[in-house]
């Protein structure tokens, strides 16, 4: 009996306040038609009083309930995020405290939108090292705290939310098996997608105020091309590695950044549109939360059924990208 990592439970949480494209029209020079045709986004959830920790906690509670497990059983907590409440302590350590736990391994992981899939692979490695590990893997972001609401080319794209998965070891025949993950990154084109403020290359000096470097900046076209190329290539690679083809894929769940990117990746891979999961219309781009929100949403809605082979494809700042195969 081989040891595999299995997803035992999934959950997601988004704040209640929701801005439609029409709402944004009131304070940004944009319109519903542009946002819909260029991105597929119709609305996004936005925090009022809640923080990244609150979103992560609520998603974690749901994932644990879905796994029929108690927080007490967890051995490791991993959180993919770049918009945690603070630089130190990590969101994972704060989450451990919120859940009433002590003496666990807790850490945040920074791989921008690929944060959850990167953390999933770290969890898989940890389970191989420690087969008794019970690991909470979260992706959570409050991106609206890092968008420049005067920059229409970025502020319409992002939303807030969190998703979580509970992983433990299992055997080959059990559902939720993470068959494999492939990751990659390239620092060359990294300046196409940045959040520079709070980093040491922008030291705070007396009298400074927050400037443009504090916000998400993106060369949209460049990022778009790289996203389509890299997600397609790494998805093909992982399928090939397991002697699978697009025909074997029951559900393709790409990072929910832009409907045009999602559809282009599906088309290039040869996965029919009806097998491609989309919820970018409801949540916008939630970065590291996008894949776990997608998994939980697709499972809850029945889009991912028992026995389905699910192909994840992710992409984000770094630049980072990756792909996972999961048998539900
Ligand atoms: O999760 C991280 C990964 N991020 C992504 O995957 C995002 C990748 N990039 C994209 O999704 C697209 O590049 C965008 C949706 C960001 C932009 O779409 P685009 O087709 O590349 O548009 P553009 O930036 O070339 O802008 C076209 C026009 C410009 O006007 P002119 O110069 O042609 O007159 C912009 O000023 O659209 C204008 N524009 C807007 N108009 C109304 C830009 N943003 C807006 C807006 N509303 N919000």
């Amino acid at each position: 009996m081989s040891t595999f990592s299995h997803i035992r439970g999934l959950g997601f949480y988004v704040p209640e306040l929701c801005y439609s494209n029409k709402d944004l029209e009131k304070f940004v020079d944009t319109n519903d038609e542009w946002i819909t045709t260029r991105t597929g986004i119709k609305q996004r959830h936005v925090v009022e009083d809640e923080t990244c920790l609150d979103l992560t906690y609520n998603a974690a509670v749901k994932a644990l309930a879905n796994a029929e497990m108690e927080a007490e059983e967890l051995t490791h907590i991993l959180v993919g995020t770049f918009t945690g409440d603070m630089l130190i302590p990590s969101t994972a350590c704060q989450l451990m405290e919120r859940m009433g736990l002590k003496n666990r391994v807790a850490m945040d992981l920074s791989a921008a939108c690929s944060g959850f899939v990167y953390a999933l692979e770290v969890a898989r490695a940890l389970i191989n090292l420690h087969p008794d590990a019970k690991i909470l893997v979260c992706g959570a972001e409050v991106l609206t705290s890092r968008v420049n609401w005067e920059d229409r080319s970025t502020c319409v794209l992002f939303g807030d939310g969190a998703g979580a998965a509970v992983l433990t070891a299992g055997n080959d025949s059990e559902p939720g098996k993470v068959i494999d993950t492939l990751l990659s990154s390239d620092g060359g084109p990294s300046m196409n997608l940045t959040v520079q403020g709070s980093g040491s290359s922008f030291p705070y000096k007396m009298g400074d105020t927050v400037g443009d470097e504090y916000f998400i900046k993106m060369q949209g076209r460049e990022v778009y091309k790289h996203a389509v190329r890299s997600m397609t290539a790494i998805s093909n690679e992982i399928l090939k590695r397991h002697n699978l083809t697009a025909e074997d894929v029951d559900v393709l769940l790409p990072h929910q950044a832009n409907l045009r990117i999602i559809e282009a990746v599906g088309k290039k891979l040869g996965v029919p549109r009806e097998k491609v999961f989309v919820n970018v219309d409801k949540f916008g781009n939630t970065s590291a939360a996008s894949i776990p929100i997608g998994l939980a949403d697709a499972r809850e809605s029945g889009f991912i059924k028992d026995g389905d082979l699910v192909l994840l494809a992710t992409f984000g700042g770094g630049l980072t990208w990756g792909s996972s195969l999961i048998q539900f």
Side-chain angles (χ1 to χ4, degrees):
M1 184 176 90
S2 335
T3 300
F4 286 93
S5 295
H6 288 251
I7 293 180
R8 302 299 186 184
L10 288 161
F12 80 97
Y13 177 83
V14 290
E16 205 177 311
L17 179 65
C18 186
Y19 285 155
S20 68
N21 294 344
K22 286 260 171 231
D23 291 330
L24 293 192
E25 283 179 15
K26 290 173 206 150
F27 50 95
V28 185
D29 179 17
T30 189
N31 56 78
D32 176 47
E33 202 263 331
W34 190 95
I35 303 174
T36 304
T37 53
R38 301 280 176 142
T39 73
I41 297 167
K42 297 299 287 183
Q43 60 177 42
R44 71 287 293 139
H45 290 257
V46 178
V47 293
E48 286 178 282
D49 302 326
E50 291 169 303
T51 68
C52 188
L53 173 61
D54 298 321
L55 307 189
T56 316
Y57 176 75
N58 286 319
V61 167
K62 288 187 178 181
L64 282 164
N66 185 236
E68 297 181 356
M69 281 171 60
E70 299 296 329
E72 184 59 34
E73 296 176 62
L74 295 172
T75 57
H76 298 71
I77 296 166
L78 309 177
V79 181
T81 187
F82 68 90
T83 53
D85 291 15
M86 304 175 194
L87 286 181
I88 296 175
S90 67
T91 304
C93 278
Q94 289 179 297
L95 180 61
M96 183 175 68
E97 178 64 15
R98 176 78 63 91
M99 291 195 294
L101 305 176
K102 297 217 180 291
N103 301 320
R104 306 307 205 270
V105 178
M107 62 176 167
D108 287 1
L109 206 141
S110 172
C113 305
S114 307
F116 177 82
V117 176
Y118 266 62
L120 198 67
E121 181 66 339
V122 172
R124 209 162 65 100
L126 285 166
I127 286 170
N128 266 301
L129 285 169
H130 312 286
D132 291 334
K134 294 182 167 54
I135 307 185
L136 178 68
V137 183
C138 308
E141 306 282 11
V142 178
L143 298 173
T144 58
S145 67
R146 284 289 186 158
V147 297
N148 179 353
W149 288 103
E150 288 174 0
D151 175 10
R152 67 176 183 173
S153 69
T154 53
C155 72
V156 302
L157 304 175
F158 300 103
D160 302 330
V166 182
L167 275 90
T168 71
N171 65 49
D172 193 14
S173 58
E174 287 180 279
K177 182 175 73 174
V178 182
I179 297 169
D180 201 3
T181 295
L182 278 181
L183 302 175
S184 193
S185 48
D186 180 3
S190 61
M191 295 313 282
N192 284 327
L193 179 46
T194 59
V195 182
Q196 298 167 350
S198 313
S200 62
S201 66
F202 286 88
Y204 173 80
K205 296 191 196 72
M206 198 185 288
D208 275 359
T209 48
V210 166
D212 205 33
E213 73 283 351
Y214 186 80
F215 302 115
I216 298 171
K217 281 194 270 183
M218 186 165 63
Q219 302 300 323
R221 289 260 164 111
E222 291 311 309
V223 174
Y224 186 107
K225 283 186 271 181
H226 204 291
V228 174
R229 265 201 315 267
S230 59
M231 284 198 283
T232 306
I234 206 157
S235 298
N236 272 325
E237 199 180 333
I238 202 168
L239 288 173
K240 197 169 161 208
R241 190 150 121 161
H242 293 273
N243 296 317
L244 295 165
T245 69
E247 283 184 16
D248 299 304
V249 174
D250 297 304
V251 173
L252 169 66
L253 198 172
H255 170 45
Q256 305 286 309
N258 180 320
L259 182 61
R260 289 188 295 154
I261 295 177
I262 294 167
E263 289 185 339
V265 171
K267 204 166 169 193
K268 280 176 184 288
L269 285 173
V271 176
R273 178 63 181 83
E274 63 274 15
K275 291 184 174 184
V276 181
F277 181 76
V278 174
N279 67 5
V280 70
D281 52 325
K282 293 191 287 182
F283 302 116
N285 181 349
T286 57
S287 184
S290 137
I291 293 278
I293 289 178
L295 278 171
D297 191 10
R299 210 52 187 126
E300 269 176 32
S301 67
F303 195 93
I304 297 177
K305 297 176 211 52
D306 290 347
D308 276 358
L309 179 69
V310 177
L311 175 63
L312 305 181
T314 189
F315 176 84
L319 301 175
T320 54
W321 60 98
S323 186
S324 278
L325 275 172
I326 304 171
Q327 186 80 61
F328 276 89

